Amino acid sequence: MQRPTKTRPSRADKTHDAPAMRGYLPHYLSRLMNILNLRLMEHLRPLDLTMPQFRVMQVIDARQTASVGTLARDAVIEQSVVSRIVDQLEKRGYAKRAKRPGNARIVDVSLTKEGRAAYASLMPLAHAIVDDAVSVLSPAERNLLDEMLKRLFDHATTPRFPWLMS
């Protein structure tokens, strides 16, 4: 008796989604993020970096220096997890902590020379992955997508329900 073979949906078949998932924004955004992250992971593995570590490095690079709380907020990762990630990056020699001048209660995190070099080596690959993903869009559509995603993020992160605020 021959076993049935598993088949993957054809790339030409654009209806991979279960009907109940079609049009559900979190589903599409999550799938897109996962696909892009999987492609980036191929380049992170040789440096023994994880996606959360890379995201924290992105925020540090953008800010130059940031507290763990700021990193958590900007990377959208729980603060306790960010603390562990910073520990891991420190052990690898990619990040360092320093007390903030003028307020020693706050500890800021920055990338070391090695951390900046590792991050810089990944950015052309990360940009190429995103550029490929949006290559199906016109420049005007890319700008519109960027604007709409920023508006959605700002809206989603703005407290609107007092009973939900802590």
Side-chain angles (χ1 to χ4, degrees):
M1 177 190 247
Q2 189 177 11
R3 284 189 197 168
T5 58
K6 292 183 181 179
T7 59
R8 294 174 66 188
S10 158
R11 287 185 187 262
D13 178 13
K14 299 295 184 187
T15 60
H16 303 312
D17 295 333
M21 299 308 285
R22 288 191 192 119
Y24 184 59
L25 182 65
H27 173 72
Y28 284 118
L29 293 176
S30 177
R31 287 180 67 203
L32 178 60
M33 184 181 80
N34 289 340
I35 289 167
L36 297 177
N37 285 346
L38 285 172
R39 290 179 182 164
L40 183 57
M41 278 302 302
E42 293 174 25
H43 303 288
L44 296 179
R45 273 191 200 100
L47 295 175
D48 195 30
L49 286 171
T50 65
M51 281 306 304
Q53 289 169 336
F54 178 75
R55 283 176 42 207
V56 168
M57 290 176 78
Q58 277 184 304
V59 175
I60 297 170
D61 182 74
R63 291 188 165 276
Q64 300 302 308
T65 183
S67 68
V68 171
T70 298
L71 292 173
R73 183 195 67 218
D74 290 359
V76 193
I77 301 174
E78 288 184 36
Q79 190 164 338
S80 61
V81 175
V82 169
S83 288
R84 286 193 297 274
I85 289 170
V86 170
D87 288 342
Q88 294 161 358
L89 293 173
E90 266 189 314
K91 287 176 185 164
R92 302 275 314 277
Y94 287 167
K96 62 183 177 186
R97 288 181 167 108
K99 291 185 179 186
R100 184 175 291 177
N103 189 348
R105 293 176 300 171
I106 300 175
V107 176
D108 284 322
V109 182
S110 59
L111 293 177
T112 62
K113 182 179 177 181
E114 295 81 9
R116 286 191 305 275
Y119 179 76
S121 74
L122 292 166
M123 285 317 296
L125 302 165
H127 286 298
I129 290 166
V130 173
D131 289 345
D132 178 62
V134 298
S135 67
V136 297
L137 304 176
S138 70
E141 288 171 325
R142 290 179 197 186
N143 289 336
L144 182 59
L145 175 64
D146 188 51
E147 179 185 313
M148 289 189 299
L149 289 173
K150 284 178 184 173
R151 282 183 22 214
L152 284 170
F153 184 82
D154 289 345
H155 180 72
T157 57
T158 300
R160 287 176 306 286
F161 307 103
W163 58 92
L164 295 177
M165 294 170 38
S166 53

